[in-house]
Every structure is written in structure tokens, then in C-alpha cells.
Amino acid sequence: MELTFLGTSAGVPTRRRNVSALALRPRQSSNWLLFDCGEATQHQLLKTPLSLYRLQRIFITHLHGDHVYGLFGLLASRGMLMSEMPLEIYGPTGLQEMLQTVMRLSQLRLPYDLAVREVSAGESLAFGDYRIETIALHHSITCYGYVYTEADLPGRFDLEKARKLGIPEGPLFGRLQRGESITLPDGRRVENRDVLGAPRAGRRVLIGGDNDRPELFAPYRGADLMIHEATYLQKDFDRLPRKFMHTTARQLGIAAEKMAIKRLVATHFSPRYDNEKKMKAIEEEIRENYRGELTLASDLMRIGL
Amino acid sequence: MELTFLGTSAGVPTRRRNVSALALRPRQSSNWLLFDCGEATQHQLLKTPLSLYRLQRIFITHLHGDHVYGLFGLLASRGMLMSEMPLEIYGPTGLQEMLQTVMRLSQLRLPYDLAVREVSAGESLAFGDYRIETIALHHSITCYGYVYTEADLPGRFDLEKARKLGIPEGPLFGRLQRGESITLPDGRRVENRDVLGAPRAGRRVLIGGDNDRPELFAPYRGADLMIHEATYLQKDFDRLPRKFMHTTARQLGIAAEKMAIKRLVATHFSPRYDNEKKMKAIEEEIRENYRGELTLASDLMRIGL
């Protein structure tokens, strides 16, 4: 699986960071998924190898503009590519009305089927090679986290064992690898578990929207990857005259450590931190508590998993 | 007056051209106006000296996405600057519903007064130092052209004449320059016309939206500047399986010449022409008929007038 960070700034774009969007290409897939779609997400895509033609599903965490205002233009541009692959969009209540109103008034007609599905918390959406669960986050507007979990993979094929059992190389190997059981030319029966290792657990990625309670992801303890906002340094947050329901770097470090997250990518930084020195301070504040693998997201950063 | 081209591509952004938007800073003004607001107009502004803080009025030609989808994010970001200067938006019917729906569902609250005024063809809007007239253009959706006309300036102050009349240098000069008439210390009356040249006519700029009939601007024959789409080369347009109601380079050259436009800026080019050689062909096709000063717009290009 491959993740591309298309926007990592909170609220407004800066010259170096766009507003929120994250692309996820599932393992062995040429189609891809988008999580949130801030304004100019389609512009960011022009700088990546990802084509709108192959965008299959969009998941919106919440309807604040910096997470959703890029949707209209992205849908329109995907239409210009004459992609006929249907597109599905998942998100909070209100998404459908917003899209329908803008599309109607701007007379946007799409050459592909668009399905908008408003989700609620606690859903589990099954999509073949992966499933996506929704969880309720805590923000000033209804906001969902999305938990992406790969289907388990069959165990690795044990070539030695297969040879010892006298299985002829060729198509029978492939059938066993795919999890079938076979009958050999001499009549012997071989079960796939005889030549396959233990099934490999699918990886799990936690994708947060805006949220001031990262510990809400606790049911997914031990996840392979968590992508979560760290909008402020603690000292700056403490000084804010009005609290905006965001997570601080300190808070995220504590929560991620407690949840035994294997790898943490912090993102959604306030524009006030838009230089290397200040980003260093955010990294250090997370590090005070979190011992796993830590990355601070930057625009167009790619992660393979 | 100063014009900044923020987006010059038709329909979709390319790596070199964004979708439509044009900034106009009136003579001797620190506030400025925006004509159309395609997605990522606020991102383009980050590359200019123009601040959203000083944006006073927006004029939308039509509601197609490539002219309007940047509005929501731009309003939000202007709000983040805590600008309290009211903002006025003018545009076709439907603009209000689109803005209200998106703002309500994304819970966008602005710290400034926003007035949305839906216009019709043939209006004349007076704004002190300039006025803006609306004209109906011809496109697949209701579309207006905006005609920007500066107020006439008083004639130039004739220093020689003023001295010959024995007017003492100082505050009296200023009053005459501003168009007042004065009484000298010795009791003589001096009319401002005695020392001022003929009033200087305000300049006129024609700003087109999407339109396949550039000759609709004919009532403004002889305008100082016309900014108009030239989406296609004639030969490509002739081959299109479906006509999109846009102007060709040839058509624009013929119309601008006939209307005796002093300076012409062509813009809104189909992404298929996004290289220098093809842009040259567009220029040549306009030149076949148009004898005035011709410029092909590029993103972030600035023109002083």
C-alpha cells in the first residue's frame, strides 16, 4: 500500500503546504482512495503520478472547508477525463446536499456514476481486499475517523515443503498459493495448509480527521500506522483565547504511545509553524512521550507500507 | 490601475495555468477587485503582493465551476485574516443559494459582512471612482461581461498659467487642482477651469466571461482594454464533435478589430494549447485580423494601465 500526503496544513494553505487531503493506493491496486479533499487537491495531484481517472472512492472526515472545498473541482476535472469508472463518496450528513446544490447551480454533469453515501459512526464498509470502519471523533462539527484494514493474506508458500511432497512445479503451485487444495496426478490429496505458512494479518491504518481526542482510536491499539493531526504546540494551544478542538503535539505523543501505535504520522499543522525550526519543536514535543516510528507529514510525501 | 491574471486556463488547471480569476486594483486604491474565482485562486494570490485583507468586491461572470469553485475557500481564508472590511459579491442568480448552502453545511462563519447581490444584464453599478456595467454574454449558462469605467479625472493643473495669474503657491494650488474655484487675497476670483486643462476621460476595461459572441461588447467600441477568452484555434473548434459556446482566436481578432479595441488580452485557453508553440499559433490567428496591441495572458502576468 502507498500513501501520498496531498495537503498537511490546517485551515488555510501556505506556500509550502496545502489544506487536507491524503491518497491511499491499496496493495496491488491501480485504483486509489482519497481521504478528505481540501481546495486545490486536484492541483496537488498534477504533481504526483496519481490520475483522477483511477480514483475510485473518497472518504470525507468532516465538512469544514479545508477538508472538502476541493471536491467540486475534482469531480468536474475527473469528468473532463471522460472516466466512466463509477465514483463513490462517503462522508457525514450534509455532504449530499452540498454536492447536489453546487452541481445543480454550476450545471456540472458527470460522465460517470457518482454515489454519495452519508455514513454514521460504527459502520464497517467491506470492499473486497480491505474494509473501512468509521469512528466518531470529537470536533466542533460531526467528524469521523476512518480505519482502513487490509484483508488477511494467505501464508507464504513453502517451496521446500512442496518439493518434498513431490508436487510438480507449474499450475498446481499457483492453486495452492491461492489457498486451494489439490489432488496430485498419483491420487494423493494435498491441503493448502500443508505448504502455506500461517495467514498474514492485514495491516491497519488509522486516519483521523480534526479531533481533540486522539485516544478515541484506542479500540485499534497496536495499529500499523496512525495519521493524526497535531495542530498546535501545547504552549501555544494553552495561550489561545478560543480553543478550536484540535490536538496538540504533546497530547498526540501521549495517546499514540498509550495505544502502542507502531508508526505515527503527524499532520494538519497550524500555518504558524510553517518553517523547519518550528516543525522541529513539534517533533520533539511528540517524541517526549512517543517511542514508535515518527514522521511529520509534508506535502507530496509518499509512504510505502 | 493594475491587473493581475490569476488564472488563464479553460475548464481545468494545468501545471502552468490555473482556472479563471483576474484581480483589478483601481487607480490610487489599496483595495482591489476580483473578477471570477476559480478553484485555488487564493493559492495564486499567495504568489502575488495582493492581500485578501484588501479585497473589496468580487464579480462573478457565471457559475461554471472553473469560474466560481474558489469562492468558498477564499471567503474562509479572508475570514482567518480577521479582516473586518465588508465584502461584496456580484454575480448571476443562483450565486446566493450556492454560497449560503456551502457556508451553512460547512459551518463557515465570517468576521466580516458579506453582501451577495445577484445582478441582471444592463445594470450600472456606481462605486465612487469607477462604475461597472453588466452586459449579457452568450454561453451555455447565464453569463455576464463586466465593463469597468473609471470616473473622469480633472484636467492637468497648468503651473505656468497659475503663476501668470499671480496665485501664491501653497494651499490655493491644491484647491484649484481638486476642481474648486478660489478667491485670491487681493479679491480676484479664479475659476478652476482657468488653470486646469480639459477633463481627462476615465479608462474603460471590458472583462468577458465565457462567451461565443465577442461582438456583444460592440456598444463599448474603442475601449482601452478588452480581456476576452480565445479558447480554441479555429481549425480545432471546427473539428469539435460538440460545440462548447466559446470564442476562437480568429473570431476574437475579427471582433476586436471591428470594435476598435485599443489593447486586447486573450485568455482562457484550452489546456490542449499548454506549450509555447501552440500559444504562438493562437497569437498569429488573432493577429490575422487585429491591428491593436495584443497580449496573450499568462498566470501571474501584471498589466499597468
Side-chain angles (χ1 to χ4, degrees):
Chain A
M1 134 175 50
E2 189 181 75
L3 296 126
T4 308
F5 292 79
L6 298 167
T8 60
S9 178
V12 296
T14 70
R15 290 178 66 128
R16 287 192 283 187
R17 295 180 185 272
N18 197 29
V19 285
S20 294
L22 169 71
L24 187 159
R25 195 168 56 72
R27 183 175 56 194
Q28 295 182 326
S29 171
S30 52
N31 296 332
W32 57 280
L33 319 176
L34 181 64
F35 293 85
D36 281 339
C37 187
E39 183 180 357
T41 294
Q42 64 161 323
H43 298 67
Q44 292 291 81
L45 286 169
L46 294 175
K47 304 171 194 162
T48 75
L50 294 163
S51 164
L52 281 178
Y53 201 90
R54 288 286 182 189
L55 171 60
Q56 190 173 24
R57 296 185 176 102
I58 304 176
F59 300 87
I60 299 294
T61 62
H62 64 301
L63 297 187
H64 277 162
D66 58 324
H67 293 253
V68 78
Y69 286 168
L71 213 38
F72 321 113
L74 181 137
L75 297 185
S77 291
R78 189 175 185 275
M80 297 275 201
L81 296 176
M82 301 314 284
S83 176
E84 290 181 4
M85 181 167 78
L87 179 67
E88 299 162 16
I89 313 186
Y90 299 82
T93 304
L95 181 58
Q96 193 141 12
E97 183 186 354
M98 191 188 283
L99 280 171
Q100 279 175 350
T101 304
V102 171
M103 288 175 66
R104 170 174 51 81
L105 293 168
S106 60
Q107 296 188 10
L108 176 59
R109 287 170 203 106
L110 301 173
Y112 52 85
D113 285 336
L114 178 70
V116 181
R117 160 100 188 270
E118 295 179 343
V119 300
S120 47
E123 286 195 53
S124 179
L125 309 160
F127 300 111
D129 291 341
Y130 57 90
R131 70 174 189 277
I132 290 191
E133 292 160 73
T134 59
I135 70 166
L137 298 181
H138 194 248
H139 193 50
S140 51
I141 190 173
T142 301
C143 184
Y144 299 113
Y146 291 103
V147 177
Y148 175 94
T149 308
E150 290 178 336
D152 290 347
L153 278 179
R156 288 187 203 284
F157 187 75
D158 191 329
L159 200 65
E160 293 264 310
K161 267 195 187 160
R163 281 183 181 143
K164 272 188 196 155
L165 288 168
I167 305 165
E169 292 195 32
L172 291 176
F173 270 38
R175 287 175 57 194
L176 286 163
Q177 273 171 326
R178 285 192 298 273
E180 295 176 38
S181 296
I182 58 163
T183 305
L184 295 180
D186 60 12
R188 273 184 300 143
R189 183 85 188 153
V190 180
E191 300 297 326
N192 61 63
R193 61 173 178 273
D194 298 338
V195 291
L196 294 184
R200 288 166 287 167
R203 278 114 9 125
R204 175 166 282 161
V205 183
L206 314 181
I207 301 168
D210 287 7
N211 177 35
D212 67 359
R213 295 188 188 164
E215 62 276 14
L216 287 169
F217 281 99
Y220 302 97
R221 190 182 159 76
D224 298 278
L225 175 63
M226 180 184 201
I227 297 156
H228 199 279
E229 65 141 303
T231 307
Y232 298 108
L233 286 172
Q234 190 65 48
K235 68 173 166 48
D236 295 327
F237 184 79
D238 292 341
R239 272 191 224 126
L240 287 177
R242 195 184 129 203
K243 306 301 181 194
F244 287 103
M245 302 187 72
H246 287 297
T247 295
T248 66
R250 170 156 308 140
Q251 207 188 339
L252 179 60
I254 293 169
E257 181 62 23
K258 206 166 167 185
M259 296 188 288
I261 299 298
K262 290 185 190 130
R263 182 169 185 181
L264 176 64
V265 178
T267 186
H268 197 268
F269 308 111
S270 164
R272 71 177 70 187
Y273 304 118
D274 201 16
N275 70 53
E276 278 177 37
K277 198 178 143 195
K278 289 178 176 169
M279 290 307 292
K280 194 80 200 157
I282 291 185
E283 187 175 352
E284 283 164 9
E285 194 170 293
I286 299 173
R287 267 273 161 255
E288 283 170 20
N289 293 286
Y290 178 64
R291 312 270 168 263
E293 187 180 351
L294 172 65
T295 310
L296 265 53
S298 57
D299 275 28
L300 306 181
M301 180 179 92
R302 279 204 273 173
I303 287 186
L305 197 72
Chain B
M1 135 175 47
E2 189 181 75
L3 296 125
T4 308
F5 292 80
L6 299 167
T8 60
S9 178
V12 296
T14 71
R15 290 179 67 130
R16 288 191 283 189
R17 295 180 185 271
N18 197 30
V19 284
S20 293
L22 169 71
L24 187 158
R25 194 169 56 72
R27 184 176 55 196
Q28 294 181 327
S29 170
S30 52
N31 296 333
W32 57 280
L33 319 176
L34 180 64
F35 293 84
D36 280 339
C37 188
E39 182 180 357
T41 294
Q42 63 161 325
H43 298 66
Q44 291 290 80
L45 286 168
L46 294 175
K47 304 171 194 163
T48 75
L50 294 163
S51 163
L52 281 178
Y53 201 90
R54 289 286 183 188
L55 171 58
Q56 190 173 24
R57 296 185 176 104
I58 304 176
F59 300 87
I60 299 294
T61 62
H62 65 301
L63 297 187
H64 278 162
D66 58 324
H67 293 253
V68 78
Y69 287 168
L71 213 39
F72 320 114
L74 182 137
L75 298 184
S77 291
R78 188 176 185 275
M80 298 273 200
L81 295 177
M82 302 313 285
S83 175
E84 290 181 4
M85 182 168 77
L87 179 68
E88 298 162 17
I89 313 186
Y90 300 82
T93 304
L95 181 59
Q96 193 142 10
E97 182 187 353
M98 190 188 285
L99 280 170
Q100 280 175 350
T101 304
V102 171
M103 289 175 65
R104 169 173 53 80
L105 293 169
S106 60
Q107 296 188 11
L108 176 59
R109 289 171 201 103
L110 301 173
Y112 53 85
D113 285 335
L114 178 70
V116 181
R117 159 102 187 270
E118 294 179 345
V119 300
S120 47
E123 286 195 54
S124 179
L125 308 160
F127 300 110
D129 291 341
Y130 57 91
R131 72 174 188 277
I132 291 192
E133 291 160 74
T134 60
I135 71 166
L137 299 181
H138 193 250
H139 193 50
S140 50
I141 191 172
T142 301
C143 184
Y144 298 113
Y146 291 103
V147 177
Y148 176 93
T149 309
E150 291 178 335
D152 289 349
L153 279 178
R156 290 186 200 283
F157 188 75
D158 191 327
L159 201 65
E160 292 265 306
K161 269 192 184 164
R163 282 183 179 142
K164 271 187 196 157
L165 288 167
I167 305 165
E169 290 195 34
L172 291 177
F173 270 37
R175 289 176 55 194
L176 286 164
Q177 272 171 325
R178 285 192 296 273
E180 295 176 38
S181 296
I182 58 164
T183 304
L184 294 180
D186 61 12
R188 274 183 302 144
R189 184 84 187 152
V190 181
E191 300 297 326
N192 62 62
R193 62 174 179 271
D194 298 337
V195 292
L196 295 184
R200 288 166 288 166
R203 278 117 5 129
R204 173 167 284 162
V205 182
L206 315 181
I207 300 168
D210 287 6
N211 177 35
D212 67 358
R213 295 188 189 164
E215 62 276 14
L216 287 168
F217 282 99
Y220 301 98
R221 190 183 159 76
D224 298 279
L225 174 63
M226 180 185 201
I227 296 155
H228 199 280
E229 65 141 301
T231 307
Y232 298 108
L233 286 172
Q234 190 67 46
K235 68 172 165 47
D236 295 328
F237 184 79
D238 292 341
R239 272 191 224 124
L240 287 177
R242 196 184 128 204
K243 306 303 180 193
F244 288 102
M245 302 187 74
H246 288 297
T247 295
T248 66
R250 170 155 308 139
Q251 206 188 339
L252 179 60
I254 293 169
E257 180 63 22
K258 205 165 167 185
M259 297 188 289
I261 300 298
K262 289 184 191 135
R263 182 171 185 179
L264 176 64
V265 178
T267 185
H268 196 268
F269 307 111
S270 164
R272 70 177 71 188
Y273 303 118
D274 200 17
N275 70 54
E276 279 179 37
K277 198 178 142 196
K278 289 177 177 170
M279 291 305 292
K280 194 79 201 158
I282 291 184
E283 188 175 353
E284 282 164 10
E285 193 170 294
I286 299 172
R287 267 273 161 256
E288 283 170 19
N289 294 287
Y290 178 64
R291 312 269 167 266
E293 187 180 352
L294 172 64
T295 311
L296 264 53
S298 56
D299 275 28
L300 306 181
M301 179 179 94
R302 279 204 273 174
I303 287 185
L305 196 73

